[in-house]
PDB file of all heavy atoms in Angstrom:
ATOM      1  N   ALA A  65      20.501  17.855  -2.784  1.00 97.00           N
ATOM      2  CA  ALA A  65      20.630  17.965  -4.239  1.00 97.00           C
ATOM      3  C   ALA A  65      19.492  17.247  -4.952  1.00 97.00           C
ATOM      4  O   ALA A  65      18.958  17.737  -5.960  1.00 97.00           O
ATOM      5  CB  ALA A  65      21.977  17.391  -4.677  1.00 97.00           C
ATOM      6  N   LEU A  66      19.075  16.086  -4.429  1.00 97.00           N
ATOM      7  CA  LEU A  66      17.995  15.333  -5.058  1.00 97.00           C
ATOM      8  C   LEU A  66      16.662  16.061  -4.923  1.00 97.00           C
ATOM      9  O   LEU A  66      15.868  16.112  -5.865  1.00 97.00           O
ATOM     10  CB  LEU A  66      17.910  13.934  -4.438  1.00 97.00           C
ATOM     11  CG  LEU A  66      19.042  12.978  -4.840  1.00 97.00           C
ATOM     12  CD1 LEU A  66      19.084  11.766  -3.920  1.00 97.00           C
ATOM     13  CD2 LEU A  66      18.889  12.529  -6.296  1.00 97.00           C
ATOM     14  N   VAL A  67      16.397  16.638  -3.752  1.00 97.00           N
ATOM     15  CA  VAL A  67      15.162  17.403  -3.585  1.00 97.00           C
ATOM     16  C   VAL A  67      15.197  18.653  -4.460  1.00 97.00           C
ATOM     17  O   VAL A  67      14.185  19.022  -5.070  1.00 97.00           O
ATOM     18  CB  VAL A  67      14.922  17.763  -2.106  1.00 97.00           C
ATOM     19  CG1 VAL A  67      13.680  18.643  -1.964  1.00 97.00           C
ATOM     20  CG2 VAL A  67      14.762  16.503  -1.259  1.00 97.00           C
ATOM     21  N   ASP A  68      16.348  19.315  -4.538  1.00 97.00           N
ATOM     22  CA  ASP A  68      16.490  20.473  -5.427  1.00 97.00           C
ATOM     23  C   ASP A  68      16.074  20.111  -6.855  1.00 97.00           C
ATOM     24  O   ASP A  68      15.311  20.848  -7.505  1.00 97.00           O
ATOM     25  CB  ASP A  68      17.945  20.962  -5.450  1.00 97.00           C
ATOM     26  CG  ASP A  68      18.349  21.716  -4.195  1.00 97.00           C
ATOM     27  OD1 ASP A  68      17.453  22.143  -3.445  1.00 97.00           O
ATOM     28  OD2 ASP A  68      19.572  21.872  -3.971  1.00 97.00           O
ATOM     29  N   GLU A  69      16.580  18.970  -7.332  1.00 98.00           N
ATOM     30  CA  GLU A  69      16.280  18.557  -8.703  1.00 98.00           C
ATOM     31  C   GLU A  69      14.808  18.162  -8.845  1.00 98.00           C
ATOM     32  O   GLU A  69      14.178  18.445  -9.874  1.00 98.00           O
ATOM     33  CB  GLU A  69      17.186  17.389  -9.109  1.00 98.00           C
ATOM     34  CG  GLU A  69      17.041  16.951 -10.561  1.00 98.00           C
ATOM     35  CD  GLU A  69      17.369  18.060 -11.555  1.00 98.00           C
ATOM     36  OE1 GLU A  69      18.169  18.960 -11.226  1.00 98.00           O
ATOM     37  OE2 GLU A  69      16.792  18.033 -12.668  1.00 98.00           O
ATOM     38  N   ALA A  70      14.241  17.530  -7.806  1.00 98.00           N
ATOM     39  CA  ALA A  70      12.825  17.169  -7.846  1.00 98.00           C
ATOM     40  C   ALA A  70      11.940  18.409  -7.904  1.00 98.00           C
ATOM     41  O   ALA A  70      10.918  18.425  -8.603  1.00 98.00           O
ATOM     42  CB  ALA A  70      12.464  16.313  -6.638  1.00 98.00           C
ATOM     43  N   VAL A  71      12.326  19.452  -7.189  1.00 98.00           N
ATOM     44  CA  VAL A  71      11.579  20.707  -7.213  1.00 98.00           C
ATOM     45  C   VAL A  71      11.636  21.328  -8.612  1.00 98.00           C
ATOM     46  O   VAL A  71      10.618  21.800  -9.138  1.00 98.00           O
ATOM     47  CB  VAL A  71      12.133  21.684  -6.156  1.00 98.00           C
ATOM     48  CG1 VAL A  71      11.593  23.098  -6.375  1.00 98.00           C
ATOM     49  CG2 VAL A  71      11.778  21.196  -4.749  1.00 98.00           C
ATOM     50  N   ARG A  72      12.816  21.314  -9.216  1.00 98.00           N
ATOM     51  CA  ARG A  72      12.928  21.846 -10.587  1.00 98.00           C
ATOM     52  C   ARG A  72      12.072  21.036 -11.554  1.00 98.00           C
ATOM     53  O   ARG A  72      11.435  21.596 -12.454  1.00 98.00           O
ATOM     54  CB  ARG A  72      14.401  21.843 -11.024  1.00 98.00           C
ATOM     55  CG  ARG A  72      15.247  22.930 -10.357  1.00 98.00           C
ATOM     56  CD  ARG A  72      16.611  23.060 -11.009  1.00 98.00           C
ATOM     57  NE  ARG A  72      17.476  21.947 -10.658  1.00 98.00           N
ATOM     58  CZ  ARG A  72      18.315  21.946  -9.605  1.00 98.00           C
ATOM     59  NH1 ARG A  72      18.377  23.004  -8.800  1.00 98.00           N
ATOM     60  NH2 ARG A  72      19.075  20.905  -9.365  1.00 98.00           N
ATOM     61  N   LEU A  73      12.062  19.720 -11.375  1.00 98.00           N
ATOM     62  CA  LEU A  73      11.246  18.868 -12.236  1.00 98.00           C
ATOM     63  C   LEU A  73       9.762  19.159 -12.035  1.00 98.00           C
ATOM     64  O   LEU A  73       8.993  19.217 -13.005  1.00 98.00           O
ATOM     65  CB  LEU A  73      11.545  17.397 -11.929  1.00 98.00           C
ATOM     66  CG  LEU A  73      10.781  16.355 -12.745  1.00 98.00           C
ATOM     67  CD1 LEU A  73      11.066  16.508 -14.244  1.00 98.00           C
ATOM     68  CD2 LEU A  73      11.137  14.941 -12.279  1.00 98.00           C
ATOM     69  N   ALA A  74       9.349  19.361 -10.787  1.00 98.00           N
ATOM     70  CA  ALA A  74       7.948  19.702 -10.496  1.00 98.00           C
ATOM     71  C   ALA A  74       7.552  21.004 -11.185  1.00 98.00           C
ATOM     72  O   ALA A  74       6.450  21.124 -11.733  1.00 98.00           O
ATOM     73  CB  ALA A  74       7.740  19.803  -8.984  1.00 98.00           C
ATOM     74  N   ASP A  75       8.456  21.977 -11.164  1.00 98.00           N
ATOM     75  CA  ASP A  75       8.183  23.242 -11.854  1.00 98.00           C
ATOM     76  C   ASP A  75       8.073  23.036 -13.362  1.00 98.00           C
ATOM     77  O   ASP A  75       7.176  23.592 -14.016  1.00 98.00           O
ATOM     78  CB  ASP A  75       9.302  24.247 -11.555  1.00 98.00           C
ATOM     79  CG  ASP A  75       9.284  24.748 -10.118  1.00 98.00           C
ATOM     80  OD1 ASP A  75       8.231  24.654  -9.467  1.00 98.00           O
ATOM     81  OD2 ASP A  75      10.331  25.231  -9.643  1.00 98.00           O
ATOM     82  N   ARG A  76       8.985  22.242 -13.898  1.00 98.00           N
ATOM     83  CA  ARG A  76       8.996  22.021 -15.346  1.00 98.00           C
ATOM     84  C   ARG A  76       7.737  21.283 -15.811  1.00 98.00           C
ATOM     85  O   ARG A  76       7.187  21.585 -16.877  1.00 98.00           O
ATOM     86  CB  ARG A  76      10.251  21.237 -15.743  1.00 98.00           C
ATOM     87  CG  ARG A  76      10.444  21.135 -17.246  1.00 98.00           C
ATOM     88  CD  ARG A  76      11.856  20.707 -17.620  1.00 98.00           C
ATOM     89  NE  ARG A  76      12.105  19.293 -17.356  1.00 98.00           N
ATOM     90  CZ  ARG A  76      12.932  18.842 -16.418  1.00 98.00           C
ATOM     91  NH1 ARG A  76      13.589  19.680 -15.635  1.00 98.00           N
ATOM     92  NH2 ARG A  76      13.120  17.545 -16.258  1.00 98.00           N
ATOM     93  N   LEU A  77       7.269  20.340 -15.005  1.00 98.00           N
ATOM     94  CA  LEU A  77       6.075  19.572 -15.355  1.00 98.00           C
ATOM     95  C   LEU A  77       4.786  20.309 -14.996  1.00 98.00           C
ATOM     96  O   LEU A  77       3.700  19.850 -15.342  1.00 98.00           O
ATOM     97  CB  LEU A  77       6.100  18.207 -14.649  1.00 98.00           C
ATOM     98  CG  LEU A  77       7.221  17.254 -15.071  1.00 98.00           C
ATOM     99  CD1 LEU A  77       7.246  16.032 -14.148  1.00 98.00           C
ATOM    100  CD2 LEU A  77       7.060  16.811 -16.519  1.00 98.00           C
ATOM    101  N   ASP A  78       4.921  21.419 -14.264  1.00 97.00           N
ATOM    102  CA  ASP A  78       3.780  22.243 -13.864  1.00 97.00           C
ATOM    103  C   ASP A  78       2.751  21.433 -13.066  1.00 97.00           C
ATOM    104  O   ASP A  78       1.549  21.492 -13.328  1.00 97.00           O
ATOM    105  CB  ASP A  78       3.121  22.881 -15.088  1.00 97.00           C
ATOM    106  CG  ASP A  78       2.113  23.970 -14.699  1.00 97.00           C
ATOM    107  OD1 ASP A  78       2.288  24.575 -13.624  1.00 97.00           O
ATOM    108  OD2 ASP A  78       1.144  24.185 -15.462  1.00 97.00           O
ATOM    109  N   VAL A  79       3.249  20.664 -12.077  1.00 97.00           N
ATOM    110  CA  VAL A  79       2.354  19.859 -11.240  1.00 97.00           C
ATOM    111  C   VAL A  79       1.782  20.716 -10.111  1.00 97.00           C
ATOM    112  O   VAL A  79       2.291  21.797  -9.802  1.00 97.00           O
ATOM    113  CB  VAL A  79       3.095  18.640 -10.648  1.00 97.00           C
ATOM    114  CG1 VAL A  79       3.602  17.733 -11.761  1.00 97.00           C
ATOM    115  CG2 VAL A  79       4.240  19.070  -9.736  1.00 97.00           C
ATOM    116  N   LYS A  80       0.719  20.206  -9.483  1.00 96.00           N
ATOM    117  CA  LYS A  80       0.146  20.912  -8.338  1.00 96.00           C
ATOM    118  C   LYS A  80       1.076  20.836  -7.130  1.00 96.00           C
ATOM    119  O   LYS A  80       1.244  21.806  -6.396  1.00 96.00           O
ATOM    120  CB  LYS A  80      -1.228  20.341  -7.992  1.00 96.00           C
ATOM    121  CG  LYS A  80      -2.306  20.695  -8.993  1.00 96.00           C
ATOM    122  CD  LYS A  80      -3.674  20.215  -8.530  1.00 96.00           C
ATOM    123  CE  LYS A  80      -4.770  20.693  -9.464  1.00 96.00           C
ATOM    124  NZ  LYS A  80      -6.107  20.232  -9.014  1.00 96.00           N
ATOM    125  N   PHE A  81       1.638  19.646  -6.925  1.00 97.00           N
ATOM    126  CA  PHE A  81       2.591  19.518  -5.825  1.00 97.00           C
ATOM    127  C   PHE A  81       3.514  18.326  -6.039  1.00 97.00           C
ATOM    128  O   PHE A  81       3.218  17.416  -6.819  1.00 97.00           O
ATOM    129  CB  PHE A  81       1.902  19.415  -4.451  1.00 97.00           C
ATOM    130  CG  PHE A  81       0.901  18.303  -4.294  1.00 97.00           C
ATOM    131  CD1 PHE A  81       1.285  16.967  -4.251  1.00 97.00           C
ATOM    132  CD2 PHE A  81      -0.452  18.585  -4.168  1.00 97.00           C
ATOM    133  CE1 PHE A  81       0.367  15.943  -4.085  1.00 97.00           C
ATOM    134  CE2 PHE A  81      -1.391  17.572  -4.000  1.00 97.00           C
ATOM    135  CZ  PHE A  81      -0.972  16.251  -3.955  1.00 97.00           C
ATOM    136  N   LEU A  82       4.641  18.377  -5.352  1.00 97.00           N
ATOM    137  CA  LEU A  82       5.588  17.277  -5.238  1.00 97.00           C
ATOM    138  C   LEU A  82       5.337  16.606  -3.892  1.00 97.00           C
ATOM    139  O   LEU A  82       5.303  17.288  -2.856  1.00 97.00           O
ATOM    140  CB  LEU A  82       7.022  17.803  -5.313  1.00 97.00           C
ATOM    141  CG  LEU A  82       8.145  16.873  -4.851  1.00 97.00           C
ATOM    142  CD1 LEU A  82       8.320  15.713  -5.831  1.00 97.00           C
ATOM    143  CD2 LEU A  82       9.460  17.654  -4.706  1.00 97.00           C
ATOM    144  N   GLU A  83       5.153  15.285  -3.897  1.00 97.00           N
ATOM    145  CA  GLU A  83       4.871  14.530  -2.673  1.00 97.00           C
ATOM    146  C   GLU A  83       5.947  13.464  -2.495  1.00 97.00           C
ATOM    147  O   GLU A  83       6.103  12.588  -3.350  1.00 97.00           O
ATOM    148  CB  GLU A  83       3.493  13.883  -2.763  1.00 97.00           C
ATOM    149  CG  GLU A  83       3.146  12.957  -1.605  1.00 97.00           C
ATOM    150  CD  GLU A  83       1.799  12.287  -1.821  1.00 97.00           C
ATOM    151  OE1 GLU A  83       0.776  12.922  -1.497  1.00 97.00           O
ATOM    152  OE2 GLU A  83       1.772  11.134  -2.328  1.00 97.00           O
ATOM    153  N   LEU A  84       6.680  13.523  -1.383  1.00 97.00           N
ATOM    154  CA  LEU A  84       7.711  12.530  -1.069  1.00 97.00           C
ATOM    155  C   LEU A  84       7.300  11.778   0.186  1.00 97.00           C
ATOM    156  O   LEU A  84       7.103  12.382   1.250  1.00 97.00           O
ATOM    157  CB  LEU A  84       9.074  13.200  -0.880  1.00 97.00           C
ATOM    158  CG  LEU A  84       9.595  14.003  -2.083  1.00 97.00           C
ATOM    159  CD1 LEU A  84      11.016  14.489  -1.820  1.00 97.00           C
ATOM    160  CD2 LEU A  84       9.545  13.175  -3.372  1.00 97.00           C
ATOM    161  N   ARG A  85       7.188  10.467   0.069  1.00 96.00           N
ATOM    162  CA  ARG A  85       6.666   9.633   1.151  1.00 96.00           C
ATOM    163  C   ARG A  85       7.807   9.120   2.032  1.00 96.00           C
ATOM    164  O   ARG A  85       8.258   7.980   1.910  1.00 96.00           O
ATOM    165  CB  ARG A  85       5.832   8.494   0.556  1.00 96.00           C
ATOM    166  CG  ARG A  85       4.674   9.039  -0.270  1.00 96.00           C
ATOM    167  CD  ARG A  85       3.783   7.965  -0.869  1.00 96.00           C
ATOM    168  NE  ARG A  85       2.642   8.599  -1.550  1.00 96.00           N
ATOM    169  CZ  ARG A  85       1.645   7.933  -2.102  1.00 96.00           C
ATOM    170  NH1 ARG A  85       1.630   6.609  -2.091  1.00 96.00           N
ATOM    171  NH2 ARG A  85       0.649   8.581  -2.679  1.00 96.00           N
ATOM    172  N   HIS A  86       8.222   9.990   2.942  1.00 95.00           N
ATOM    173  CA  HIS A  86       9.337   9.671   3.822  1.00 95.00           C
ATOM    174  C   HIS A  86       8.873   9.029   5.126  1.00 95.00           C
ATOM    175  O   HIS A  86       7.689   9.082   5.480  1.00 95.00           O
ATOM    176  CB  HIS A  86      10.131  10.948   4.153  1.00 95.00           C
ATOM    177  CG  HIS A  86      10.864  11.522   2.981  1.00 95.00           C
ATOM    178  ND1 HIS A  86      10.908  12.872   2.711  1.00 95.00           N
ATOM    179  CD2 HIS A  86      11.561  10.925   1.986  1.00 95.00           C
ATOM    180  CE1 HIS A  86      11.630  13.084   1.623  1.00 95.00           C
ATOM    181  NE2 HIS A  86      12.033  11.917   1.161  1.00 95.00           N
ATOM    182  N   GLU A  87       9.830   8.450   5.819  1.00 92.00           N
ATOM    183  CA  GLU A  87       9.568   7.936   7.162  1.00 92.00           C
ATOM    184  C   GLU A  87      10.236   8.806   8.223  1.00 92.00           C
ATOM    185  O   GLU A  87       9.870   8.755   9.395  1.00 92.00           O
ATOM    186  CB  GLU A  87      10.027   6.488   7.275  1.00 92.00           C
ATOM    187  CG  GLU A  87       9.250   5.595   6.316  1.00 92.00           C
ATOM    188  CD  GLU A  87       9.450   4.116   6.570  1.00 92.00           C
ATOM    189  OE1 GLU A  87       9.805   3.749   7.711  1.00 92.00           O
ATOM    190  OE2 GLU A  87       9.245   3.328   5.635  1.00 92.00           O
ATOM    191  N   GLU A  88      11.187   9.592   7.798  1.00 91.00           N
ATOM    192  CA  GLU A  88      11.783  10.620   8.650  1.00 91.00           C
ATOM    193  C   GLU A  88      11.843  11.903   7.831  1.00 91.00           C
ATOM    194  O   GLU A  88      12.159  11.870   6.645  1.00 91.00           O
ATOM    195  CB  GLU A  88      13.192  10.222   9.106  1.00 91.00           C
ATOM    196  CG  GLU A  88      13.211   9.021  10.027  1.00 91.00           C
ATOM    197  CD  GLU A  88      14.622   8.708  10.522  1.00 91.00           C
ATOM    198  OE1 GLU A  88      15.548   9.474  10.158  1.00 91.00           O
ATOM    199  OE2 GLU A  88      14.787   7.717  11.241  1.00 91.00           O
ATOM    200  N   PRO A  89      11.529  13.042   8.431  1.00 93.00           N
ATOM    201  CA  PRO A  89      11.504  14.291   7.663  1.00 93.00           C
ATOM    202  C   PRO A  89      12.893  14.703   7.192  1.00 93.00           C
ATOM    203  O   PRO A  89      13.890  14.475   7.875  1.00 93.00           O
ATOM    204  CB  PRO A  89      10.925  15.308   8.655  1.00 93.00           C
ATOM    205  CG  PRO A  89      11.228  14.736  10.007  1.00 93.00           C
ATOM    206  CD  PRO A  89      11.165  13.250   9.846  1.00 93.00           C
ATOM    207  N   ILE A  90      12.930  15.289   6.018  1.00 94.00           N
ATOM    208  CA  ILE A  90      14.151  15.869   5.465  1.00 94.00           C
ATOM    209  C   ILE A  90      14.012  17.381   5.516  1.00 94.00           C
ATOM    210  O   ILE A  90      12.991  17.935   5.105  1.00 94.00           O
ATOM    211  CB  ILE A  90      14.369  15.399   4.006  1.00 94.00           C
ATOM    212  CG1 ILE A  90      14.697  13.904   3.971  1.00 94.00           C
ATOM    213  CG2 ILE A  90      15.480  16.200   3.335  1.00 94.00           C
ATOM    214  CD1 ILE A  90      14.877  13.366   2.565  1.00 94.00           C
ATOM    215  N   GLU A  91      15.028  18.046   6.019  1.00 93.00           N
ATOM    216  CA  GLU A  91      15.016  19.505   6.062  1.00 93.00           C
ATOM    217  C   GLU A  91      15.304  20.072   4.680  1.00 93.00           C
ATOM    218  O   GLU A  91      16.325  19.756   4.066  1.00 93.00           O
ATOM    219  CB  GLU A  91      16.062  20.014   7.054  1.00 93.00           C
ATOM    220  CG  GLU A  91      15.780  19.653   8.503  1.00 93.00           C
ATOM    221  CD  GLU A  91      14.517  20.310   9.033  1.00 93.00           C
ATOM    222  OE1 GLU A  91      14.198  21.436   8.569  1.00 93.00           O
ATOM    223  OE2 GLU A  91      13.831  19.693   9.860  1.00 93.00           O
ATOM    224  N   HIS A  92      14.351  20.847   4.172  1.00 96.00           N
ATOM    225  CA  HIS A  92      14.550  21.507   2.878  1.00 96.00           C
ATOM    226  C   HIS A  92      13.588  22.683   2.804  1.00 96.00           C
ATOM    227  O   HIS A  92      12.403  22.530   3.147  1.00 96.00           O
ATOM    228  CB  HIS A  92      14.298  20.542   1.726  1.00 96.00           C
ATOM    229  CG  HIS A  92      14.790  21.047   0.406  1.00 96.00           C
ATOM    230  ND1 HIS A  92      14.105  22.001  -0.328  1.00 96.00           N
ATOM    231  CD2 HIS A  92      15.910  20.757  -0.305  1.00 96.00           C
ATOM    232  CE1 HIS A  92      14.783  22.267  -1.431  1.00 96.00           C
ATOM    233  NE2 HIS A  92      15.874  21.511  -1.455  1.00 96.00           N
TER     234      HIS A  92
END
Side-chain angles (χ1 to χ4, degrees):
L66 287 165
V67 176
D68 285 343
E69 185 60 28
V71 167
R72 286 191 286 269
L73 180 60
D75 290 339
R76 188 164 74 248
L77 295 172
D78 192 27
V79 299
K80 288 185 174 180
F81 56 70
L82 164 70
E83 174 184 276
L84 301 186
R85 301 181 175 184
H86 292 138
E87 298 192 24
E88 294 183 2
I90 292 178
E91 294 295 329
H92 194 283

